[in-house]
Amino acid sequence: PHAVTFPAVVGAVSYQWDFGDGTTGSGPSPTHIYFNNTAADVVYPITLIGSNAFGCADTTYDEVTVFPLPSAQFTIAPTTGCHPLTASLTSTSTGGTSLTWTYGDGSTSDTTATTHTHTWYNYAGPGATTFPIGLTVVTDHGCTSTATSQVQVFPAVQAGFVADTIGCAPLPVQFSNVSSGGATYTWNFGDATTSSATSPTHTFLNQGLNDATFNVELVATSSFGCTDTASLSVLVHPQQIGRAHV
């Protein structure tokens, strides 16, 4: 909307205004609000008939041009996810010649591409972080429109563990879980056995004649369902067999 305050006419005591949009008014200096719901400039013809105390009247004309507003609109997919969250932002805005994006993380962009991506991070946790997103569209005449949305980023999960990685069978190994952000853990010891303990102990066997390598994998899962994986290899020498002496 465009508000216009009209100036008074010297010598007039009565005023008849025609604002050009189907409405009329009176008074020496009225304020009138104009609208433009189209996609093009709209020109409103203004007519004022002013009369003095002796009944003498005069008519003057002018016009008001109202520029159209742009329409800022955009979509985001996905709107929630695990750290780091990369989402696609698609502008469906109309009427603007420049765009300004704010991502809620201190960064901005003036890209005019229909679709672009942005990545949000949540290293700190322990809870989800919400980032407000804004798009402001501006026309050549300086008219603006703003749309807002948000994304929610769940905190980072980092899986990690330490253990002895070499020895003779049977080799008992104590796994020390040094993961961060995890709530549950799934271990795969590479020998068809698993565990859900936080820091399990597992014994590796090797009944063959050659060294055996077991690829141990840990999957850490947060309360938000985010996961991370860590792995290492355990080398197990064959079990020593005692020889009988005759």
Side-chain angles (χ1 to χ4, degrees), residues 29-220:
S29 183
T31 296
H32 187 70
I33 298 176
Y34 290 92
F35 298 89
N36 181 359
N37 297 319
T38 72
D41 296 350
V42 175
V43 178
Y44 294 97
I46 315 300
T47 302
L48 168 62
I49 301 175
S51 302
N52 64 14
F54 302 101
C56 300
D58 191 23
T59 303
T60 185
Y61 306 91
D62 207 338
E63 61 183 29
V64 171
T65 300
V66 181
F67 305 123
L69 278 176
S71 175
Q73 302 176 60
F74 67 95
T75 59
I76 307 173
T79 57
T80 60
C82 300
H83 159 98
L85 173 65
T86 298
S88 294
L89 299 95
T90 300
S91 172
T92 55
S93 305
T94 58
T97 54
S98 66
L99 291 79
T100 300
W101 295 88
T102 58
Y103 301 109
D105 57 2
S107 61
T108 62
S109 172
D110 59 0
T111 180
T112 56
T114 300
T115 299
H116 71 286
T117 61
H118 186 75
T119 301
W120 291 266
Y121 303 90
N122 182 0
Y123 289 101
T129 299
T130 299
F131 296 91
I133 303 166
L135 170 62
T136 299
V137 179
V138 183
T139 68
D140 288 337
H141 299 294
C143 302
T144 64
S145 175
T146 299
T148 60
S149 188
Q150 64 182 32
V151 294
Q152 188 179 52
V153 183
F154 304 132
V157 180
Q158 185 167 0
F161 63 96
V162 294
D164 293 332
T165 59
I166 189 168
C168 296
L171 177 63
V173 177
Q174 172 65 57
F175 293 93
S176 297
N177 191 336
V178 294
S179 303
S180 61
T184 60
Y185 304 95
T186 301
W187 297 84
N188 186 327
F189 299 113
D191 58 2
T193 61
T194 61
S195 174
S196 59
T198 301
S199 294
T201 297
H202 184 71
T203 299
F204 294 90
L205 305 177
N206 181 2
Q207 296 177 345
L209 300 177
N210 299 312
D211 291 345
T213 299
F214 298 91
N215 294 314
V216 181
E217 182 178 87
L218 167 63
V219 177

Side-chain angles (χ1 to χ4, degrees), residues 208-236:
L209 300 177
N210 299 312
D211 291 345
T213 299
F214 298 91
N215 294 314
V216 181
E217 182 178 87
L218 167 63
V219 177
T221 304
S222 73
S223 58
F224 298 98
C226 303
T227 62
D228 190 38
T229 302
S231 62
L232 59 72
S233 295
V234 175
L235 179 63
V236 181

